[in-house]
Amino acid sequence: MATKQPPPLMKKHSQTDLVSRLKTRKILGVGGEDDDGEVHRSKISQVLGNEIKFAVREPLGLRVWQFVSAIMFSGVAIMALAFPDQLYDAVFEEESVNSKTPIRLYGGALLSLSLIMWNALYTAEKVIIRWTLLTEACYFGVQFLVTTITLIESDRISTGAMLLLASRILFILVTVYYYYQVGRRPKKV
C-alpha cells in the first residue's frame, strides 16, 4: 500500500499581485475616503471607527487640577485621621472637640474620595473624569454650606474658617469650569 503524499504548498500569487490586492481592497471598501474624509486602512478600522475621534480633548491644566485635588483630599484625610484635634482647631479656632470620632469618620470619607481622585487621574474616559469632577464640586459645595451654617450658629467667625470658605468657593468654580470643559462637544474642523 502506497501512501499518497500531500501536494507541495504553493504560494498564492494573488497576495503578491498588486492589481489583485487593489481589486480586493476596492471590493471590501477600504483604502478610499469615506463621507467624513477619512481613509481606512482595513475593514476592521472602518467598522470599529477611528479611536482618535473618541479621544477626550482635555482642557489645559485638567491633569494638574486632578493631581492637586488628589493631594489635597489625601492630605486633609490623613490629618483628620491622625490629628483630629489640630484639624478642628485650625478651622474653628476652639480649644478642643468633645469627640474625635466624627472628625476621624470625616477623614475616612475623605480618604475614600481621594482614592477616586487618584484613579481618575489615570483614566482617559470622559464620563469618569466628569463624574469625578462632579463629585468633587458637590463635596466642596456641601462643605461650604456646613461650615457656613456652623459659623452662623456659633457666632464665631475665625480667620481659618473664612479662609476655608473662600478657598471652597474658588475650588467650586475651578471644578465646575473643568466639568463643563470636559463635557463640551469638540468643534468640527
Side-chain angles (χ1 to χ4, degrees):
M1 251 176 36
T3 59
K4 189 174 181 182
Q5 294 289 335
L9 295 175
M10 298 180 68
K11 188 175 181 184
K12 291 175 101 179
H13 292 288
S14 64
Q15 294 296 326
T16 57
D17 185 17
L18 180 61
V19 175
S20 177
R21 283 180 31 208
L22 290 175
K23 285 180 184 177
T24 305
R25 291 178 70 77
K26 186 168 183 144
I27 291 170
L28 288 174
V30 295
E33 288 188 12
D34 63 2
D35 295 338
D36 295 331
E38 295 182 18
V39 178
H40 296 283
R41 300 202 182 275
S42 70
K43 195 65 178 175
I44 293 172
S45 71
Q46 187 177 15
V47 171
L48 295 178
N50 192 354
E51 69 275 355
I52 295 172
K53 282 185 186 177
F54 303 110
V56 176
R57 195 184 123 262
E58 293 179 355
L60 189 64
L62 172 67
R63 295 300 180 174
V64 173
W65 177 249
Q66 286 180 308
F67 180 73
V68 168
S69 294
I71 293 280
M72 282 190 317
F73 275 70
S74 299
V76 175
I78 291 169
M79 188 172 175
L81 288 169
F83 312 108
D85 289 333
Q86 287 80 359
L87 181 66
Y88 188 81
D89 184 43
V91 175
F92 296 108
E93 294 181 358
E94 290 183 11
E95 295 295 319
S96 179
V97 66
N98 295 337
S99 176
K100 296 177 183 180
T101 305
I103 297 173
R104 286 197 169 127
L105 287 172
Y106 167 73
L110 270 185
L111 192 61
S112 300
L113 284 175
S114 74
L115 292 175
I116 294 170
M117 301 294 168
W118 283 112
N119 285 325
L121 185 62
Y122 299 108
T123 187
E125 291 186 41
K126 185 177 178 179
V127 175
I128 294 174
I129 293 171
R130 289 194 82 210
W131 270 107
T132 305
L133 291 168
L134 184 63
T135 301
E136 190 175 343
C138 289
Y139 165 76
F140 288 140
V142 168
Q143 188 180 33
F144 177 81
L145 289 174
V146 168
T147 306
T148 303
I149 291 169
T150 304
L151 289 174
I152 290 171
E153 287 176 349
S154 69
D155 290 330
R156 293 184 195 173
I157 297 179
S158 65
T159 56
M162 294 310 292
L163 184 63
L164 178 71
L165 291 177
S167 68
R168 292 310 168 229
I169 290 173
L170 176 69
F171 295 159
I172 289 170
L173 292 175
V174 171
T175 303
V176 168
Y177 167 76
Y178 282 125
Y179 176 78
Y180 283 114
Q181 288 298 314
V182 170
R184 280 186 24 201
R185 301 239 184 247
K187 295 178 183 175
K188 293 259 181 173
V189 179

